[in-house]
Amino acid sequence: MKLTINIVLECLRDYGLPIHPGSEQSIPLAQVRFLDRDASVLCPEVLYVCTASQLRLARLEPGGGGALLCLEEDGAPLEPDALPRDIHCFPIRWDGITLCELMNHLLEIFDRFRVWEQQLEEAILVGKDFQALVDLSDGVFKENFFLIWDASYNVVAHSQRADIPNKKLRDIIERGFFPKEVTDDLAQMGYMKHALTYSRPTFIDAPNYMNFPFIVKTFVVAQRIQYTCAFYFMGSSPSQGMMDLVQIFSNSLEKYILRMVNSSHRKVNRIDQCVVDLIENWRKGPEYMEDRAAVLGLEEGRCYCLCTVRFQEYTEEQALYMRMRMRSICSKVVATIYKEGLVLIFSSGEQTFLEKEARAERFQKIMALLPICGGKAAFSSTFSSCADVHTAYWQACVAMQYGEKYRPNEDLHFYRDHSIYHMIECYSNYLHFPLEKMYFQRLSLLMDTKNYKSSNLYLLRTYLINERNISQTAKLLYMHRNSVIYRIARIRDLLDVDLNNPEVRLRLLISFKILELLNPDMFSAHISKDEELQPGELEE
């Protein structure tokens, strides 16, 4: 085992020796020896021990580097410029210790860590569990605390301490897993989003979720985080020596995990691949599609709904966490990561009253989860054939596209709300016919370019979408009922249309959809305070 100079100096402090390090570099050291009187070049991974007078007699040359522990004598302090710059010298000023006693201390330190390394390697070879590795390391890390959990947030190992001063940490240890309230909080604080950046041990100071300074390390195998460990500084202040020890222990854990999880045999999950096949290979025929649907448990003739989730900032760990939470909310959901998002297939067939109540409750949980994970969801229309999964996926994508354009402040979008826009644009693109020429052109006579909300155009649209209900229209627009009747009559004469004709009303409503495509803000439901209608604004 190669220790660092920081680990050695920290261990010497345990012996009561006042150390004054001359460098903050993390120098690796494999052994310790006395400085030879005739030495001219130091070995880079050896810690040399000498007195100040011995060091003055040595003729050390620059270029080799090296590290020295120099025991200073009374009245003969070491001059800082007496050594080449690439040699790191750490003076020790202590009256009651001899050079041999210092060497014995150092040999004991190196031997103690060598034994620890051997014990860890033996435990890994015989396949002991995580807890055994942590137990072997408790003496090394003293009163500090180790916690290791898997990808499903189950605790797999922790330091054995009777008193855990942190209530949140104590609750996790007692449960044996991270409850969803904790994981949701961690997701909101960005830990899941940045999980891959913790593949190198990362120090995070307080304040944080546990309010202890800690080091976090994630273990990635086959591009997936398999385990995470956190080292909490509870018994000592954060120090470079302790951080170097955590790095050494993390390297042993990495070997253990790589041995336990054989990445060369990991394959794409069968369920994930079947979802991809249903979306991408829909032309391969009914037998192929039915085979994939059977793997997913999708029954032909039963009603389903497909949902896509997109993230503000996509990271695989964020998506994995959301998938895990979705599966905990809906036990029968098919959930897979696809194209930097999440694809979910829900059952939406005929249900009893109690089943509908449970479904509504699950839906509320999903709505609460979306902002936690920084996601937005879009839903397709219902479908009952495995051959329609491809169509449902694109419906959900279209709903997401139009939802972000027309309802950017909402987290949930439905294809049923945007299907008309989609059909109109498909028609326009197919015939290469501009949208500007597709709506009822006389509507331009009703437009008020300065304020759409107070125009006759807005009044007519509100009147039609409320099924020509005079009272409801007047209420929504803060108008008197008689004013609505008068203005609608004027509009009818100006456009020269019969509003009692359903074909005319349909054409007008489609025209309003086209106008929204041309100007998404024209009839926006999200009116600012400055634009908000006031009582009497639409009055004559």
Side-chain angles (χ1 to χ4, degrees):
M1 173 182 285
K2 292 181 181 179
L3 303 181
T4 66
I5 189 63
N6 298 306
I7 296 173
V8 174
L9 294 177
E10 188 155 321
C11 291
L12 286 175
R13 288 192 185 95
D14 292 343
Y15 289 101
L17 302 180
I19 306 299
H20 303 280
S23 172
E24 295 181 356
Q25 294 189 27
S26 186
I27 306 166
L29 303 169
Q31 56 179 295
V32 58
R33 67 173 69 156
F34 287 115
L35 179 66
D36 191 343
R37 178 171 30 182
D38 300 325
S40 59
V41 178
L42 302 182
C43 296
E45 293 187 352
V46 175
L47 176 62
Y48 293 90
V49 182
C50 64
T51 63
S53 57
Q54 289 173 334
L55 190 56
R56 290 190 192 92
L57 295 175
R59 298 180 179 276
L60 299 178
E61 298 177 359
L68 286 161
L69 273 182
C70 180
L71 186 62
E72 295 189 339
E73 299 139 324
D74 290 339
L78 183 68
E79 298 177 6
D81 298 330
L83 294 172
R85 290 187 177 181
D86 60 339
I87 295 177
H88 304 281
C89 182
F90 301 89
I92 298 176
R93 302 181 184 96
W94 189 257
D95 296 334
I97 190 171
T98 66
L99 190 64
C100 290
E101 289 173 332
L102 175 60
M103 175 59 81
N104 286 335
H105 285 319
L106 291 170
L107 289 172
E108 183 184 348
I109 291 168
F110 274 80
D111 185 64
R112 174 158 40 105
F113 285 107
R114 193 173 293 113
V115 169
W116 176 50
E117 180 187 35
Q118 291 173 352
Q119 290 175 336
L120 288 177
E121 289 180 351
E122 289 174 5
I124 292 171
L125 286 173
V126 300
K128 290 190 176 181
D129 58 12
F130 280 102
Q131 190 59 56
L133 301 183
V134 173
D135 291 344
L136 288 172
S137 308
D138 272 348
V140 174
F141 295 106
K142 305 170 189 175
E143 296 300 314
N144 299 309
F145 197 89
F146 249 114
L147 180 63
I148 304 175
W149 61 92
D150 62 17
S152 298
Y153 298 92
N154 298 309
V155 175
V156 297
H158 60 86
S159 299
Q160 301 297 319
R161 286 186 55 173
D163 59 320
I164 303 175
N166 186 284
K167 183 181 182 302
K168 294 178 182 176
L169 187 58
R170 187 167 60 248
D171 182 57
I172 291 170
I173 299 301
E174 290 173 355
R175 289 171 179 254
F177 63 92
F178 285 68
K180 68 177 183 64
E181 295 82 8
V182 175
T183 54
D184 286 351
D185 288 343
L186 293 176
Q188 281 187 304
M189 295 172 76
Y191 287 102
M192 280 66 168
K193 183 169 66 178
H194 301 296
L196 283 175
T197 64
Y198 303 143
S199 57
R200 297 185 57 148
T202 304
F203 175 74
I204 299 177
D205 205 351
N208 51 54
Y209 185 75
M210 295 293 182
N211 280 325
F212 276 107
F214 71 100
I215 298 172
V216 62
K217 164 85 168 88
T218 54
F219 298 93
V220 181
V221 180
Q223 300 181 339
R224 292 284 177 88
I225 291 177
Q226 302 295 331
Y227 294 93
T228 305
C229 80
F231 177 78
Y232 297 96
F233 289 94
M234 294 184 174
S236 65
S237 301
S239 65
Q240 189 58 53
M242 192 59 72
M243 293 181 188
D244 291 345
L245 275 176
V246 172
Q247 176 68 68
I248 291 172
F249 183 59
S250 297
N251 293 340
S252 295
L253 286 177
E254 196 109 47
K255 293 178 185 176
Y256 176 76
I257 292 169
L258 287 172
R259 184 181 181 88
M260 183 177 61
V261 184
N262 190 347
S263 61
S264 63
H265 290 88
R266 287 179 60 84
K267 297 181 180 179
V268 176
N269 183 285
R270 173 71 169 155
I271 290 179
D272 292 347
Q273 187 59 53
C274 285
V275 173
V276 174
D277 287 342
L278 288 174
I279 294 173
E280 297 182 354
N281 301 322
W282 53 283
R283 289 190 177 93
K284 288 193 174 182
E287 186 177 346
Y288 178 90
M289 303 298 282
E290 288 169 9
D291 174 73
R292 269 55 185 170
V295 173
L296 300 174
L298 302 180
E299 302 175 16
E300 197 72 14
R302 187 181 178 89
C303 290
Y304 296 94
C305 178
L306 187 143
C307 167
T308 60
V309 178
R310 291 287 180 265
F311 299 92
Q312 294 174 2
E313 295 181 35
Y314 173 81
T315 64
E316 188 174 21
E317 288 312 305
Q318 190 88 325
L320 285 170
Y321 174 70
M322 179 134 190
R323 182 175 71 173
M324 182 192 73
R325 291 282 285 110
M326 282 291 191
R327 286 173 174 171
S328 69
I329 294 171
C330 309
S331 58
K332 295 183 179 180
V333 68
V334 175
T336 189
I337 296 172
Y338 180 68
K339 290 188 176 180
E340 295 194 349
L342 203 59
V343 174
L344 308 165
I345 301 177
F346 300 92
S347 172
S348 61
E350 291 297 325
Q351 297 173 323
T352 66
F353 176 76
L354 291 178
E355 287 174 334
K356 289 181 179 179
E357 288 288 307
R359 181 184 175 188
E361 183 179 348
R362 290 195 296 269
F363 193 75
Q364 291 300 318
K365 290 180 179 179
I366 292 172
M367 289 183 63
L369 181 63
L370 286 171
I372 290 173
C373 295
K376 293 191 174 187
F379 293 82
S380 72
S381 302
T382 56
F383 61 95
S384 58
S385 172
C386 58
D388 295 331
V389 172
H390 167 82
T391 302
Y393 173 75
W394 286 109
Q395 284 182 348
C397 291
V398 167
M400 183 70 74
Q401 174 190 341
Y402 285 106
E404 290 180 343
K405 183 176 181 181
Y406 297 110
R407 301 178 182 179
N409 297 327
E410 297 181 11
D411 292 335
L412 293 177
H413 307 293
F414 299 88
Y415 183 72
R416 63 172 181 258
D417 297 331
H418 305 286
S419 57
I420 297 296
Y421 302 123
H422 188 211
M423 286 189 286
I424 291 170
E425 283 205 315
C426 287
Y427 177 80
S428 174
N429 294 336
Y430 180 74
L431 295 178
H432 304 288
F433 199 73
L435 290 173
E436 291 82 356
K437 302 296 182 181
M438 289 177 61
Y439 69 88
F440 187 63
Q441 296 296 303
R442 285 194 179 185
L443 287 177
S444 58
L445 299 173
L446 307 180
M447 292 183 186
D448 181 348
T449 55
K450 295 182 180 179
N451 190 351
Y452 286 117
K453 305 299 185 299
S454 62
S455 67
N456 282 331
L457 187 72
Y458 195 80
L459 169 61
L460 177 60
R461 176 179 176 273
T462 306
Y463 174 70
L464 291 178
I465 63 177
N466 283 282
E467 301 292 339
R468 297 186 295 161
N469 187 313
I470 297 291
S471 299
Q472 182 66 15
T473 302
K475 181 179 179 181
L476 289 172
L477 299 181
Y478 300 105
M479 294 177 64
H480 192 279
R481 191 175 183 279
N482 291 341
S483 296
V484 172
I485 295 172
Y486 172 73
R487 294 276 289 274
I488 290 297
R490 284 184 55 190
I491 291 169
R492 186 171 54 243
D493 294 340
L494 187 62
L495 298 181
D496 191 21
V497 293
D498 180 10
L499 295 180
N500 292 320
N501 187 332
E503 295 291 336
V504 171
R505 296 199 302 273
L506 177 61
R507 186 184 177 193
L508 289 172
L509 287 171
I510 291 175
S511 295
F512 288 128
K513 294 293 184 183
I514 296 172
L515 289 172
E516 286 183 73
L517 285 171
L518 292 170
N519 183 357
D521 297 326
M522 179 175 285
F523 305 116
S524 173
H526 307 285
I527 306 172
S528 67
K529 288 185 177 180
D530 293 336
E531 294 177 297
E532 189 172 352
L533 291 171
Q534 301 299 324
E537 187 173 332
L538 281 180
E539 296 281 2
E540 277 281 300

